[in-house]
């Protein structure tokens, strides 16, 4: 919606008029931090008093040697980037090292090993061996029962087998 | 009483005040067998304590409004504190058996007439009013009177409540009866002594009282005496400021440096540059969307 308001500007409008159309958060940001083309912001954390210190990164204090959290939280960084992208000036912001947006976020996404090749649950992993053990037990069922119940059962089973009707 | 147990302590506490509790006393009074004398005593906490409750003073002329002696005009003699009643000069009496040890000179029988107490609510005050028509004083029965503040009674040499009759905006004062004989002054100075002036201030600058005499006038050990507060006391009770650490100093200097820079402002060049970038982007968007 904000872009459409900018689009309504006539071609003869001056650059300053275009700037005035920007959202307040962007105007505030560029008041405090000059565009990235004017100053080269550091890609890595530096000292807080360094003129090239990146406000989106945690920087170290020269006296206390303690890290100060970034001047802009990750959420605010996202808001600033997305708003700037709407006006095509995202490259004027200091670099966001550990954040990705839109297509970039999904195309260069690295998947986890487990997602690509899942190991499976324990019951899935042990299915084959369990079924094999069942098959083996079924085959040796009679002998196993006979072992427990004794010779009487063995004889009974033999008799049953003899009495079994056959087609021939 | 540390050697007495809690129960024992409770017992002593009760025994020192009223041995029987109020509800026990009430039960005894209501459930006992018939008794010769009508005992109408009240509990110690219900006893009358001030004139507003008694309403009449020994010496007051009163009229009895109830009982056999109804309509009799007589005088209050004394109070009976135990029954909150008044003994009158010519009031009601009752017949009772009197043991010999209580016999008065002239008593000849065990059965005697003894004055009975009358409650203040069964009495009306009789006041004297000057009748201008006849030029004589006449008795008037006061239907209703009330108390209005206090006044210093010279005859009794004390503060007494003021009895008044209010009628149609008029306030009529009812004096308390005077004592039978004037009170003797016992060593105290006269009532006008407090208004006598004995000390005059001649100078605002110099104190009239000699310095040595001040010790006698003022209490040197008074708890209200205020001492003088000096610098050494302040020094003693004020904690010293902790020296600032190097880190803190650096932090403060950094803050000051930031303050000295003041608020940043956008330069027209930066505005123009960013606005130009936006314009370029918008133009390209327009081309893509075929917007004129």
């Amino acid at each position: 919606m904000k872009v459409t308001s900018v689009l309504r500007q006539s071609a003869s409008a001056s650059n300053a008029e275009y700037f005035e159309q920007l959202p307040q958060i962007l105007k505030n940001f560029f008041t405090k931090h000059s565009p990235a083309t004017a100053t080269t912001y550091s890609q890595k954390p530096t000292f807080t008093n360094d003129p090239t210190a990146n406000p989106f990164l945690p920087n170290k204090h020269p006296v206390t040697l303690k890290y100060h959290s970034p001047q802009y939280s990750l959420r605010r960084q996202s808001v600033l980037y997305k708003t700037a992208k709407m006006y095509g000036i995202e490259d004027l912001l200091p670099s966001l090292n550990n954040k990705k947006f839109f297509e970039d976020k999904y195309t260069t996404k690295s998947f986890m090993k487990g997602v690509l090749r899942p190991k499976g649950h324990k019951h899935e992993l042990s299915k084959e061996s369990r079924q094999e053990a069942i098959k083996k037990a079924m085959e040796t069922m009679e002998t196993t029962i006979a072992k427990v119940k004794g010779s009487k059962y063995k004889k009974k089973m033999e008799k049953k087998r003899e009495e079994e009707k056959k087609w021939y | 009483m540390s050697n007495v147990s809690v129960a024992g302590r409770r017992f002593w506490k009760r025994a020192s005040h009223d041995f029987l509790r109020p509800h026990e006393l009430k039960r005894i009074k209501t459930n006992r067998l018939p008794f010769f004398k009508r005992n109408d005593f009240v509990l110690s906490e219900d006893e009358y304590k001030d004139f507003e409750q008694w309403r009449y003073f020994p010496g007051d002329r009163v009229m009895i409004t109830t009982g056999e002696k109804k309509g009799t005009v007589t005088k209050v003699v004394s109070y009976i504190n135990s029954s909150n009643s008044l003994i009158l000069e010519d009031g009601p009496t009752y017949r009772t058996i009197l043991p010999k040890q209580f016999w008065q000179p002239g008593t000849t029988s065990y059965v005697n007439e003894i004055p009975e107490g009358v409650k203040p609510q069964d009495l009306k005050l009789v006041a004297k009013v000057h009748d201008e028509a006849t030029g004589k004083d006449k008795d008037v029965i006061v239907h209703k009177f009330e108390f209005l503040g206090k006044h210093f009674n010279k005859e009794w040499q004390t503060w007494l409540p003021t009895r008044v009759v209010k009628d149609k905006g008029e306030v009529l004062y009812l004096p308390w009866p005077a004592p039978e004989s004037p009170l003797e002054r016992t060593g105290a100075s006269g009532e006008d002594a407090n208004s006598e002036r004995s000390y005059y201030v001649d100078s605002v600058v110099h104190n009239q009282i000699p310095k040595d005499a001040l010790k006698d006038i003022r209490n040197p050990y008074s708890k209200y005496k205020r001492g003088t507060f000096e610098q050494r006391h302040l020094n003693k009770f004020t904690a010293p400021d902790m020296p600032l650490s190097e880190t803190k100093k650096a932090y403060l200097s950094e803050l000051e440096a930031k303050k000295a820079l003041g608020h940043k402002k956008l330069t027209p060049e930066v505005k123009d540059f960013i606005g130009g970038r936006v314009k370029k982007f918008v133009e390209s968007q327009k081309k893509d969307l075929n917007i004129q």
Side-chain angles (χ1 to χ4, degrees):
Chain A
M1 270 166 74
K2 277 166 192 170
V3 172
T4 52
S5 72
V6 174
L7 285 171
R8 277 194 209 105
Q9 285 281 1
S10 63
S12 60
S14 67
N15 291 350
E17 281 172 334
Y18 271 94
F19 179 83
E20 289 306 322
Q21 289 288 324
L22 285 176
Q24 195 61 42
I25 48 162
L26 283 179
K27 283 195 271 185
N28 287 348
F29 182 84
F30 288 117
T31 313
K32 287 173 189 169
H33 312 279
S34 54
T37 48
T39 50
T40 47
Y41 287 102
S42 152
Q43 298 284 321
K44 284 178 181 177
T46 57
F47 287 123
T48 48
N49 60 350
D50 185 0
T52 64
N54 191 335
F56 292 159
L57 295 176
N59 294 308
K60 214 175 191 179
H61 194 272
V63 179
T64 58
L65 300 177
K66 284 184 178 173
Y67 274 100
H68 289 196
S69 48
Q71 287 181 39
Y72 294 86
S73 69
L74 290 173
R75 181 189 63 79
R76 287 175 75 202
Q77 286 177 29
S78 296
V79 171
L80 274 169
Y81 183 87
K82 285 172 187 173
T83 326
K85 181 134 182 147
M86 285 165 84
Y87 298 91
I89 50 170
E90 73 274 17
D91 58 319
L92 300 185
L93 295 174
S95 58
L96 292 93
N97 279 6
N98 43 11
K99 272 187 101 67
K100 283 173 185 172
F101 297 95
F102 307 122
E103 299 96 330
D104 189 28
K105 187 177 176 179
Y106 298 106
T107 49
T108 59
K109 196 175 181 179
S110 57
F111 290 97
M112 287 188 290
K113 245 194 269 177
V115 176
L116 296 172
R117 280 178 280 104
K119 276 187 189 174
H121 286 278
K122 199 173 179 180
H123 71 271
E124 290 166 339
L125 292 171
S126 64
K127 193 178 181 181
E128 218 169 273
S129 59
R130 277 187 292 118
Q131 278 179 343
E132 232 168 69
I134 291 165
K135 203 180 169 187
K136 208 175 175 185
M138 286 295 281
E139 279 168 9
T140 57
M141 183 176 66
E142 271 180 26
T143 50
T144 316
I145 296 168
K147 240 182 220 176
V148 178
K149 290 208 169 180
S151 55
K152 207 176 178 182
Y153 178 78
K154 205 178 174 181
K155 276 176 194 168
K156 201 179 168 184
M157 290 307 289
E158 275 170 8
K159 201 180 174 184
K160 202 180 176 184
R161 215 174 285 143
E162 280 168 14
E163 281 171 5
E164 207 173 85
K165 280 182 182 176
K166 289 171 184 170
W167 64 275
Y168 51 86
Chain B
M1 278 211 289
S2 57
N3 58 339
V4 180
S5 67
V6 173
R9 221 173 292 150
R10 226 176 274 149
F11 174 82
W12 277 114
K13 198 178 170 187
R14 219 197 301 169
S16 61
H17 184 240
D18 280 321
F19 190 78
L20 292 171
R21 288 181 176 182
H23 70 272
E24 290 169 340
L25 204 67
K26 198 179 172 185
R27 196 187 64 221
I28 291 166
K29 271 168 75 176
T30 50
N31 297 357
R32 69 185 161 193
L33 290 166
F35 196 66
F36 275 122
K37 186 173 174 281
R38 198 183 83 250
N39 201 341
D40 52 355
F41 67 89
V42 291
L43 295 174
S44 59
E45 61 260 33
D46 295 338
E47 278 179 15
Y48 289 169
K49 279 163 192 85
D50 45 22
F51 294 115
E52 277 92 341
Q53 288 171 318
W54 282 114
R55 298 180 73 75
Y56 307 103
F57 201 72
D60 265 333
R61 291 177 71 228
V62 289
M63 191 187 80
I64 302 163
T65 55
T66 53
E68 285 177 13
K69 296 265 182 170
K70 187 178 173 182
T72 318
V73 175
T74 177
K75 222 180 210 180
V76 178
V77 177
S78 62
Y79 296 148
I80 308 172
N81 284 312
S82 58
S83 64
N84 283 348
S85 54
L86 302 135
I87 286 183
L88 308 175
E89 219 170 55
D90 188 19
T93 54
Y94 66 97
R95 189 171 286 187
T96 186
I97 300 159
L98 205 65
K100 207 164 190 178
Q101 64 259 35
F102 297 123
W103 283 19
Q104 298 293 320
T107 312
T108 51
S109 169
Y110 280 96
V111 181
N112 279 285
E113 291 284 330
I114 277 181
E116 196 181 357
V118 183
K119 299 277 178 191
Q121 52 264 35
D122 297 336
L123 298 172
K124 292 263 187 244
L125 190 71
V126 178
K128 265 184 185 171
V129 175
H130 185 73
D131 192 3
E132 286 179 2
T134 55
K136 286 179 182 175
D137 288 354
K138 65 170 184 182
D139 286 348
V140 173
I141 291 155
V142 180
H143 174 62
K144 195 180 171 186
F145 68 85
E146 52 192 283
F147 294 95
L148 191 77
K150 279 187 173 185
H151 71 280
F152 188 79
N153 196 307
K154 279 190 175 179
E155 287 156 335
W156 289 100
Q157 288 292 313
T158 184
W159 286 86
L160 291 175
T162 313
R163 288 192 298 193
V164 295
V165 178
K166 279 185 180 174
D167 184 33
K168 292 170 189 170
E170 272 187 72
V171 178
L172 195 72
Y173 290 92
L174 300 168
W176 291 99
E180 283 179 2
S181 54
L183 296 178
E184 281 180 20
R185 194 172 285 163
T186 51
S189 53
E191 63 200 72
D192 302 327
N194 60 345
S195 56
E196 271 179 32
R197 191 174 176 182
S198 58
Y199 178 73
Y200 293 89
V201 178
D202 294 335
S203 165
V204 184
V205 182
H206 300 292
N207 198 343
Q208 306 295 298
I209 305 162
K211 251 190 179 177
D212 295 342
L214 282 173
K215 277 181 190 172
D216 296 334
I217 295 167
R218 291 174 189 161
N219 178 11
Y221 308 110
S222 168
K223 64 175 177 178
Y224 302 108
K225 194 178 175 184
R226 285 189 297 175
T228 46
F229 205 69
E230 292 170 7
Q231 186 60 40
R232 62 192 169 90
H233 295 115
L234 254 176
N235 296 345
K236 193 182 175 185
F237 293 115
T238 314
D241 288 332
M242 282 297 284
L244 290 174
S245 63
E246 288 303 312
T247 323
K248 191 80 183 173
K249 275 179 197 168
Y251 169 70
L252 290 172
S253 64
E254 200 180 309
L255 276 187
E256 271 180 22
K258 266 185 194 173
K259 233 182 214 177
L261 284 172
H263 289 294
K264 282 184 180 175
K265 275 183 185 174
L266 266 173
T267 54
E269 289 82 43
V270 173
K271 270 189 189 180
D272 190 65
F273 169 69
I274 298 169
R277 284 288 310 274
V278 175
K279 191 178 179 181
K280 208 174 158 186
F281 176 74
V282 169
E283 291 304 321
S284 68
Q285 292 280 305
K286 273 182 181 175
K287 213 177 257 178
D288 291 351
L289 298 166
N290 284 326
I291 300 168
Q292 292 301 314

